[in-house]
Amino acid sequence: MPSLSDTIAALATPTGTSAIAVLRVSGPDTKSLAREIFGKAPAVRLVSRADYVDRSGNLVDDVLATFFQGPRSYTGEDALEISCHGNPFIAQKILEDLFARGCRPADAGEFTQRAFLNGRMDLSQAEAVMDLIHARSERALAAAHQLLRGELGRRMNALVERLLGVLARIEAHIDFPEEDLPPEDRAQVESGISSILFDIKNLESTSQYGRILREGLHVVILGRPNVGKSSLLNALVGRDRALVSPEPGTTRDFIEDHIVVGPHFIRLVDTAGLNPSPGGLERLGMEKALERLADADLVLLVTDSSEPTRPALPAETMTLLDATSTIIVQNKMDLGIPSPSSPLPGATLIETSALTGTGIEDLRAAIIAKADAFRHEPNNIVGINARHAHRIANARGLLQSGLTKLRSAAPTELVASDLRDALAAFGEIIGRIDNERMLDQLFATFCIGK
Ligand code: GDP
């Protein structure tokens, strides 16, 4: 783990020409550095305009500097922010001067890692900083804010308190091994574990929504060749992205695009046409389509409503579809031919014309409704990430094992041991982690300067 006694510096904005660039400094020498560079003691939390003069006495830029006195700073230690003109050459000159004055280049995520190590935020909040930087939709933004404000930490702390209560009840008896846990205590312990299990299963079930928030809703467009899949993708994306051709089977591979639909971020994939008796290259395209189907959150199954009889889709595809995560899109409604019955009873059905745009808004609304249905708690959107899910699954296994042991009248010490391990797994979610390497790995996924 990098040392907290170093004073670190990094560019916090992207390299390139811009209106302004911001550099960050944090660590014990920050205050004396600021005094040395600007010639006077820095005002706390007040923006000062100053000349940045380097160690050789050359004027580098006219800057704005803000000094934050620890612990009231992002990192929890003395910190300085310097806004200079957004010229990468100027930013580099200032950075080189800061290094010459004794700062060390910050590692990826090191400012946030310090904030965590100095107790300014728990681990789930540190992760939320990254969620916030990468949020690409209203829902993702709202969820990141909630996580950043410590919602998951609060829930985990409440669970930890409850588990500690259960554990205390058991441990009171461990000192007297000859006495069995009295039946009323046994019942209390059992219901205590069960109710914690119920709550963590609920939390665990938010992980799919958490992935959708972070990576986007994975939507796959499926259908026979020439039904208008590429035209629909273009209509949804709002520009020509996919090749549209009157020749069947023009999209051999797949095209992926990212769009925002209402409050959601969506990864839209247009696949090769599904043909019940495909040729060589077409077969390959279809296999790819089926692969994409395996990790789809939502399928848009497109049909051509003008076809008098609906040709069959490959049976292997139909078995992979279920009504709740499929929207049937009956396209080419402009041709005015009444559409045949739905190929998947129970699935939402939307009539469109990718050519005229009719029904595209309805399709967007249906996609939004489907995406929102992944939210387990409409007003309380905690969508846990893969790391949380892994720890929660671990804790769930331990609690379940403890419960089984309790029910089979195993020695109380064994039950307590499972519960203590579950407690440790809970702790890891918000950051009571002794594993330094794991922490370094986690923060290494951040960007430099954050
Ligand atoms: P894909 O093979 O399923 O991707 O289908 P395309 O998007 O390439 O479209 C195949 C043909 O159908 C093209 O000639 C499109 O212009 C036409 N087409 C697509 N959507 C519509 C529609 O809603 N109405 C009509 N009349 N033609 C359409």
Side-chain angles (χ1 to χ4, degrees):
M1 189 168 299
S3 163
L4 284 176
S5 60
D6 292 344
T7 296
I8 54 172
L11 179 65
T13 44
T15 348
T17 305
S18 54
I20 52 172
V22 178
L23 295 113
R24 261 183 164 171
V25 181
S26 180
D29 298 334
T30 306
K31 196 170 186 173
S32 57
L33 261 170
R35 197 182 296 119
E36 190 183 303
I37 300 166
F38 302 117
K40 57 176 188 221
V44 175
R45 284 177 172 253
L46 277 181
V47 183
S48 336
R49 187 170 172 187
D51 282 344
Y52 195 107
V53 179
D54 70 14
R55 289 214 315 168
S56 324
N58 298 318
L59 171 66
V60 184
D61 196 13
D62 174 16
V63 303
L64 292 180
T66 318
F67 176 70
F68 300 87
Q69 183 131 30
R72 290 187 63 217
S73 71
Y74 180 73
T75 53
E77 46 191 29
D78 282 358
L80 179 71
E81 279 183 19
I82 302 169
S83 307
C84 64
H85 288 94
N87 171 351
F89 176 68
I90 294 176
Q92 189 56 32
K93 283 296 247 188
I94 295 179
L95 209 51
E96 278 167 11
D97 183 65
L98 289 168
F99 297 153
R101 291 177 195 266
C103 291
R104 158 170 80 66
D107 289 336
E110 199 172 357
F111 291 93
T112 309
Q113 186 171 16
R114 286 188 173 197
F116 165 69
L117 293 172
N118 290 321
R120 297 293 287 173
M121 52 176 76
D122 71 29
L123 204 53
S124 69
Q125 289 172 301
E127 288 168 311
V129 171
M130 283 313 274
D131 288 346
L132 198 62
I133 292 175
H134 295 294
R136 285 166 288 193
S137 68
E138 264 173 52
R139 293 276 192 269
L141 194 58
H145 274 306
Q146 200 164 31
L147 206 56
L148 191 61
R149 278 157 202 226
E151 177 64 26
L152 187 60
R154 268 190 293 284
R155 289 196 195 196
M156 294 318 301
N157 283 329
L159 285 170
V160 163
E161 285 304 312
R162 279 161 61 192
L163 189 51
L164 277 172
V166 174
L167 205 51
R169 205 174 266 274
I170 300 182
E171 283 182 335
H173 286 270
I174 291 179
D175 297 335
F176 312 100
E178 65 283 359
E179 290 175 35
D180 208 12
L181 203 61
E184 66 274 16
D185 276 1
R186 186 170 288 275
Q188 289 272 7
V189 168
E190 194 169 326
S191 79
I193 302 177
S194 302
S195 97
I196 295 170
L197 264 172
F198 178 81
D199 284 357
I200 67 164
K201 279 182 192 158
N202 264 343
L203 204 53
E204 215 179 347
S205 62
T206 68
S207 78
Q208 186 181 12
Y209 188 60
R211 181 186 50 70
I212 289 171
L213 288 172
R214 291 178 182 88
E215 294 174 13
L217 184 82
H218 193 169
V219 179
V220 171
I221 306 180
L222 270 191
R224 287 176 44 78
N226 232 25
V227 293
K229 297 183 298 301
S230 304
S231 306
L232 265 174
L233 176 112
N234 288 339
L236 283 169
V237 172
R239 66 192 146 89
D240 280 355
R241 175 71 169 80
L243 191 65
V244 173
S245 148
E247 290 290 309
T250 37
T251 312
R252 297 283 184 198
D253 209 326
F254 56 83
I255 290 173
E256 180 165 341
D257 217 320
H258 294 178
I259 52 169
V260 172
V261 177
H264 293 284
F265 179 67
I266 288 179
R267 289 160 59 204
L268 197 59
V269 178
D270 180 21
T271 59
L274 296 172
N275 201 334
S277 46
L281 194 55
E282 224 177 357
R283 170 95 240 155
L284 267 178
M286 264 183 61
E287 277 166 15
K288 286 233 183 254
L290 292 178
E291 267 171 34
R292 305 299 298 205
L293 196 56
D295 51 33
D297 299 307
L298 177 65
V299 175
L300 305 184
L301 183 61
V302 188
T303 63
D304 178 345
S305 61
S306 69
E307 284 175 321
T309 54
R310 186 189 310 283
L313 280 166
E316 61 200 290
T317 316
M318 294 311 288
T319 56
L320 289 174
L321 300 180
D322 72 90
T324 41
S325 50
T326 306
I327 296 175
I328 307 292
V329 186
Q330 288 189 329
N331 192 36
K332 308 201 186 181
M333 289 306 290
D334 55 289
L335 296 176
I337 299 159
S339 47
S341 62
S342 168
L344 193 67
T348 307
L349 201 143
I350 305 287
E351 298 183 335
T352 60
S353 164
L355 204 63
T356 66
T358 312
I360 298 298
E361 274 317 305
D362 296 341
L363 180 57
R364 282 181 199 276
I367 293 173
I368 294 170
K370 288 284 182 195
D372 274 338
F374 285 103
R375 284 200 290 179
H376 288 259
E377 309 171 22
N379 302 315
N380 218 349
I381 25 168
V382 163
I384 58 170
N385 70 23
R387 189 187 69 82
H388 306 143
H390 183 256
R391 295 295 183 283
I392 288 179
N394 188 3
R396 173 174 44 75
L398 288 160
L399 289 172
Q400 249 148 8
S401 146
L403 198 58
T404 312
K405 285 177 188 153
L406 188 76
R407 285 176 178 154
S408 62
T412 321
E413 171 54 44
L414 295 183
V415 180
S417 161
D418 279 344
L419 300 194
R420 266 185 243 116
D421 289 346
L423 206 55
F426 278 172
E428 287 185 1
I429 292 172
I430 41 182
R432 283 181 222 122
I433 296 180
D434 327 329
N435 185 340
E436 290 188 3
R437 225 186 43 185
M438 192 239 115
L439 272 183
D440 286 344
Q441 273 172 358
L442 191 145
F443 284 103
T445 62
F446 281 42
C447 32
I448 302 265
K450 192 65 223 173

